[in-house]
Amino acid sequence: ENLAAQKLYEGKAKILYATDDPEVLLTYFKDDATAFNAQKRGTISGKGEVNCAMSQHLFRLLEAQGVPTHLIDCPTSNTMRVRRVSIVPLEVVVRNIAAGSLCQQTGLELGTPLSPPLVEFYLKNDALGDPLLTEDRLRVMELATPDQVQQLREMALRVNQVLSEFFNQCGITLVDFKLEFGVDGAGKLLLADEISPDTCRLWNQAESDPNRRVMDKDRFRRDLGDVEAAYQQVLQRVLAQSV
Amino acid sequence: ENLAAQKLYEGKAKILYATDDPEVLLTYFKDDATAFNAQKRGTISGKGEVNCAMSQHLFRLLEAQGVPTHLIDCPTSNTMRVRRVSIVPLEVVVRNIAAGSLCQQTGLELGTPLSPPLVEFYLKNDALGDPLLTEDRLRVMELATPDQVQQLREMALRVNQVLSEFFNQCGITLVDFKLEFGVDGAGKLLLADEISPDTCRLWNQAESDPNRRVMDKDRFRRDLGDVEAAYQQVLQRVLAQSV
Ligand SMILES: Nc1ncnc2c1ncn2[C@@H]1O[C@H](COP(=O)(O)OP(=O)(O)O)[C@@H](O)[C@H]1O
Ligand SMILES: Nc1ncnc2c1ncn2[C@@H]1O[C@H](COP(=O)(O)OP(=O)(O)O)[C@@H](O)[C@H]1O
Ligand SMILES: [Mg+2]
Ligand SMILES: [Mg+2]
């Protein structure tokens, strides 16, 4: 079979392929890295394998904790078979500690604890720059009913609970992360996409220096160096921690 | 008395002066116009008098309808005596029809009716570019408690009800507008600042052309011409309509 012939979509970090089963997609994790709405581009060598293996491990953990995900299995080290869903065009962001755009937009100081955590919705639309949405805007844009917003919020908070505890056991603080959800053929909401150092802010608890502690894509965004080593270190700690 | 000696603050559109009474301020309405976070600057001749007279008329209307405002009286045609308040650093925006930044940020089409209306909160902070806030961000920034947010929302919707009906009687559609609120010495929430073609989007119901119908600061923002005439026309219709 010729994979190229079955390519459905090439995104910034992954490629989606159709399979013989119309309900199953194959996701290929690339080493390509982008930041700032794809204005900055580069390569993080080994990233595809890290993100694939880490996503697999965390999806399994979440499944075991009752969160339904799109994961089926990983036929190779950088491909994942997933249930095909209709993606809700939202980036659902959970924040435990103020960082990134939240600080830039509100003036909140980096590191401010957010308790209870913030759950935020951004429109998944590169052309519009992934703008922040209010619940009113979600309603008006008919992206999600108030009920669905409530369900997404609850699932996101449940994911946060499970992952925060897990990363804590790895000696890592889960600062914030982005989730994508999709609806399967039966109308069920599944956690989709990936969970990786590309989509999480992760701080090494053994380091207090605000640059040295960074173990995620911020090393690439902010040119902090040792990007590959940080990704490998995260994966090593994640895989060492039994689910 | 030398007014200059008592100047407290010069903003983009108004100057605040102290008076002999510490609970009373004098507001001078300037002809200066700015747009796009003060990147665009100009003058709209006669604007100060229009905005002062229109604000006075609409504040009186709102008072009569049970909405407390900061208005005391207008000693001259472009000055207003107001109760001094501690301004809540939020711009409260009510939207009946999609326009402006809402369209740019969401892709909603200009003119889309919003029913029920949207009530949005923006941080009043020029340095940060007046960013949109969610209710969660309001809470975390300790700008307003959930109770205060609820009270601001209800007051803004009440203002919208009164003003929408009033402008409709003037043959004008109230598309959206920005309000500022403040807390007086007794802890009471008052409607403050101004209500004018600078702070409202107003469409002439007698015109269907999307440019010709515009009667507000969008004529200045978008270089549509006849800015002064539009401001005068709005004031004339407002003053002709008894409260
Ligand atoms: N189970 C799934 N079914 C269908 N689409 C998915 C699924 N999981 C993720 N996707 C989508 O596949 C794409 C993944 O590729 P990515 O490189 O992350 O794209 P993008 O640049 O659009 O973020 C995303 O658009 C994501 O929404
Ligand atoms: N009753 C009031 N008491 C104190 N401050 C007020 C009152 N009404 C309005 N203000 C404030 O006075 C200033 C009015 O001037 P303006 O030119 O609109 O300023 P800005 O450029 O900051 O918007 C605003 O900062 C507004 O918040
Ligand atoms: Mg993606
Ligand atoms: Mg102002």
Side-chain angles (χ1 to χ4, degrees):
Chain A
E1 267 181 328
N2 177 5
L3 269 183
Q6 306 163 275
K7 194 197 268 198
L8 294 178
Y9 174 79
E10 174 154 5
K12 298 187 291 295
K14 301 185 288 299
I15 306 176
L16 296 184
Y17 298 95
T19 69
D20 291 342
D21 183 341
E23 292 182 11
V24 174
L25 298 180
L26 188 75
T27 309
Y28 170 79
F29 287 75
K30 303 194 286 185
D31 285 354
D32 298 356
T34 64
F36 311 117
N37 200 17
Q39 288 173 274
K40 176 168 183 157
R41 292 171 179 278
T43 299
I44 301 174
S45 152
K47 176 169 88 76
E49 295 193 7
V50 168
N51 289 8
C52 184
M54 179 164 157
S55 292
Q56 180 186 28
H57 197 82
L58 297 177
F59 282 144
R60 291 231 183 290
L61 166 69
L62 288 163
E63 290 275 0
Q65 298 293 326
V67 178
T69 81
H70 71 161
L71 171 66
I72 298 170
D73 56 23
C74 292
T76 75
S77 61
N78 52 16
T79 63
M80 181 183 283
R81 295 197 316 138
V82 301
R83 261 171 280 272
R84 179 183 209 143
V85 294
S86 167
I87 290 284
V88 179
L90 294 175
E91 306 206 329
V92 183
V93 172
V94 182
R95 300 179 181 274
N96 296 303
I97 294 176
S101 66
L102 177 66
C103 295
Q104 282 157 28
Q105 288 169 21
T106 63
L108 275 173
E109 205 187 339
L110 174 70
T112 306
L114 305 168
S115 177
L118 291 195
V119 181
E120 306 196 314
F121 299 92
Y122 296 80
L123 183 63
K124 190 171 159 59
N125 184 318
D126 289 338
L128 297 175
D130 294 343
L132 176 68
L133 296 175
T134 61
E135 294 214 7
D136 271 4
R137 290 191 178 189
L138 282 167
R139 172 177 56 75
V140 168
M141 297 172 75
E142 294 179 359
L143 289 171
T145 65
D147 264 17
Q148 285 172 326
V149 171
Q150 190 51 27
Q151 208 186 332
L152 289 171
R153 192 183 283 281
E154 278 164 19
M155 280 178 79
L157 285 171
R158 177 72 186 132
V159 170
N160 184 47
Q161 232 172 18
V162 173
L163 294 187
S164 291
E165 192 190 323
F166 178 84
F167 278 114
N168 198 41
Q169 285 162 358
C170 300
I172 293 174
T173 298
L174 180 58
V175 174
D176 59 34
F177 57 96
K178 181 270 291 181
L179 300 176
E180 292 182 30
F181 292 90
V183 181
D184 73 7
K188 190 178 164 187
L189 208 55
L190 300 183
L191 180 59
D193 208 49
E194 66 177 275
I195 305 177
S196 71
D198 276 12
T199 65
C200 302
R201 278 199 175 85
L202 303 166
W203 290 354
N204 186 350
Q205 294 173 354
E207 300 278 2
S208 57
D209 180 85
N211 287 343
R212 289 174 62 92
R213 70 184 171 193
V214 174
M215 304 182 83
D216 55 64
K217 200 166 80 174
D218 274 348
R219 296 206 76 84
F220 168 76
R221 285 191 193 95
R222 294 164 47 204
D223 295 316
L224 297 178
D226 296 323
V227 186
E228 282 82 2
Y231 274 63
Q232 295 298 337
Q233 179 59 224
V234 170
L235 180 62
Q236 203 173 306
R237 293 205 202 177
V238 164
L239 294 184
Q241 199 66 36
S242 63
V243 169
Chain B
E1 267 182 327
N2 178 5
L3 268 182
Q6 305 163 277
K7 195 196 266 196
L8 294 178
Y9 175 79
E10 173 153 5
K12 300 186 291 296
K14 300 185 289 298
I15 306 177
L16 296 185
Y17 297 95
T19 69
D20 292 342
D21 183 340
E23 292 183 9
V24 174
L25 298 180
L26 187 75
T27 309
Y28 170 78
F29 287 76
K30 302 193 286 184
D31 286 354
D32 298 355
T34 63
F36 310 117
N37 201 16
Q39 288 172 275
K40 177 170 184 158
R41 292 172 179 277
T43 299
I44 301 173
S45 150
K47 176 169 88 75
E49 296 193 5
V50 168
N51 289 9
C52 185
M54 180 165 157
S55 291
Q56 181 186 27
H57 197 82
L58 297 177
F59 282 145
R60 290 230 183 290
L61 167 69
L62 287 163
E63 289 277 0
Q65 297 293 326
V67 178
T69 80
H70 71 161
L71 171 67
I72 299 169
D73 56 22
C74 293
T76 74
S77 61
N78 51 17
T79 63
M80 182 181 283
R81 294 198 316 137
V82 301
R83 261 171 281 271
R84 181 184 208 141
V85 294
S86 168
I87 291 284
V88 179
L90 294 175
E91 306 206 328
V92 182
V93 171
V94 182
R95 300 179 180 275
N96 295 304
I97 294 177
S101 66
L102 176 67
C103 295
Q104 280 158 30
Q105 288 169 21
T106 63
L108 275 174
E109 204 186 339
L110 174 70
T112 306
L114 306 168
S115 176
L118 291 196
V119 181
E120 306 195 314
F121 299 91
Y122 296 81
L123 183 63
K124 189 169 161 60
N125 184 320
D126 288 339
L128 296 175
D130 293 343
L132 176 68
L133 297 175
T134 61
E135 295 214 5
D136 271 4
R137 290 190 179 191
L138 282 167
R139 172 177 56 74
V140 168
M141 299 172 74
E142 294 177 1
L143 289 170
T145 65
D147 264 16
Q148 286 171 326
V149 171
Q150 190 52 27
Q151 207 187 333
L152 289 171
R153 191 183 284 283
E154 278 164 20
M155 279 179 79
L157 285 171
R158 176 72 187 134
V159 170
N160 184 46
Q161 235 174 15
V162 173
L163 294 187
S164 291
E165 191 191 323
F166 178 84
F167 279 113
N168 198 41
Q169 285 162 358
C170 302
I172 293 174
T173 298
L174 179 60
V175 174
D176 59 34
F177 57 96
K178 181 270 289 180
L179 300 176
E180 292 182 30
F181 293 89
V183 181
D184 73 7
K188 191 179 164 189
L189 208 55
L190 301 182
L191 181 59
D193 208 49
E194 66 178 274
I195 305 177
S196 71
D198 275 13
T199 64
C200 302
R201 280 200 173 82
L202 303 167
W203 290 354
N204 186 350
Q205 293 174 353
E207 300 279 0
S208 57
D209 180 85
N211 287 343
R212 289 176 61 93
R213 70 185 170 192
V214 174
M215 304 182 82
D216 55 64
K217 199 165 82 174
D218 274 347
R219 296 206 77 83
F220 168 76
R221 284 191 194 95
R222 294 162 49 202
D223 294 317
L224 296 177
D226 295 323
V227 187
E228 283 81 3
Y231 274 63
Q232 295 297 338
Q233 180 58 225
V234 170
L235 179 61
Q236 202 173 305
R237 293 203 201 179
V238 164
L239 296 184
Q241 199 66 36
S242 62
V243 169

